[in-house]
Amino acid sequence: MGRVVVTHSTYLEGLIPLLKRLAAQPGVSTVTPAVISRVRGRVPGLKLRVSTPITGGHKLVARRGGSAQEVFVVTEWSRDRLEQELEHLLAR
């Protein structure tokens, strides 16, 4: 079971509970939410997509409304497996 690194004072609404469920999956060791930024366009609800590979895992981009937040996931999973798990978690 992994852990969620909570280091900031602000997160996208609904992101932390989702990341805690992701971190509870076998094969995920650390989930770290990072920088929040304003972006063009609006996304209804919370969406997560796999962005780029990093050493030991993947970077995700979480979007909600006009904001985006980077999330770093240290995992042994492939990109495809991570995308499947995110779809499953978001469908709940």
Side-chain angles (χ1 to χ4, degrees):
M1 182 166 146
R3 66 187 180 105
V4 176
V5 179
V6 180
T7 57
H8 294 286
S9 59
T10 56
Y11 301 97
L12 294 182
E13 183 183 339
L15 182 62
I16 295 300
L18 181 75
L19 296 182
K20 286 183 179 181
R21 290 197 322 255
L22 177 64
Q25 303 295 320
V28 176
S29 53
T30 307
V31 180
T32 308
V35 170
I36 296 178
S37 57
R38 303 302 277 168
V39 293
R40 288 195 206 193
R42 298 193 61 78
V43 174
L46 180 64
K47 307 247 187 222
L48 278 123
R49 73 173 174 83
V50 179
S51 177
T52 57
I54 60 170
T55 303
H58 302 278
K59 178 175 121 177
L60 310 178
V61 176
R63 295 270 321 260
R64 183 179 198 112
S67 301
Q69 185 162 11
E70 295 178 344
V71 178
F72 297 96
V73 179
V74 177
T75 180
E76 59 193 39
W77 292 348
S78 67
R79 179 186 182 106
D80 292 336
R81 169 90 189 272
L82 183 56
E83 287 173 346
Q84 289 173 358
E85 291 295 329
L86 289 174
E87 284 178 26
H88 179 71
L89 288 173
L90 286 169
R92 285 185 179 176

